């Protein structure tokens, strides 16, 4: 993960949008669905997003409130 660049400050906050028109990530974290699909063009920031989610305390907080244990 050290080869993946860090996100620009606050640039990935959209992933936490839990509204109906949001990306559905928060809903997925609270569900029992095993896969959340991330796709995009080369260089569009998929690895940066994954690094951010992996290192984010918000991800761990949502996962700890879910009855299902899992690994990010």
């Amino acid at each position: 993960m050290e080869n993946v660049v860090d996100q620009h400050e606050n640039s990935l906050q959209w992933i936490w949008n839990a509204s109906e028109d949001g990306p559905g990530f928060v809903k997925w974290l609270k569900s029992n669905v095993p896969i959340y699909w991330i796709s995009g063009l080369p260089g569009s920031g998929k690895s940066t997003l994954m690094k951010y989610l992996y290192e984010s305390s918000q991800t761990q907080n949502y996962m700890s409130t879910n009855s299902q244990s899992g690994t990010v």
Side-chain angles (χ1 to χ4, degrees):
M1 288 261 186
E2 58 270 354
N3 292 338
V4 178
V5 297
D6 291 332
Q7 81 281 359
H8 188 273
E9 185 177 346
N10 298 322
S11 65
L12 298 175
Q13 294 303 307
W14 58 267
I15 195 73
W16 304 115
N17 181 352
S19 68
E20 189 65 34
D21 61 340
F25 184 70
V26 172
K27 183 178 178 180
W28 172 77
L29 280 175
K30 295 178 178 181
S31 77
N32 292 323
V33 178
I35 297 173
Y36 183 82
W37 193 268
I38 306 259
S39 62
L41 297 171
S44 63
K46 298 176 299 296
S47 295
T48 302
L49 175 61
M50 294 308 300
K51 178 181 178 181
Y52 167 73
L53 294 173
Y54 179 78
E55 294 176 346
S56 173
S57 60
Q58 284 182 273
T59 304
Q60 296 305 318
N61 289 340
Y62 279 113
M63 289 184 69
S64 67
T65 60
N66 187 358
S67 60
Q68 173 184 326
S69 64
T71 304
V72 175

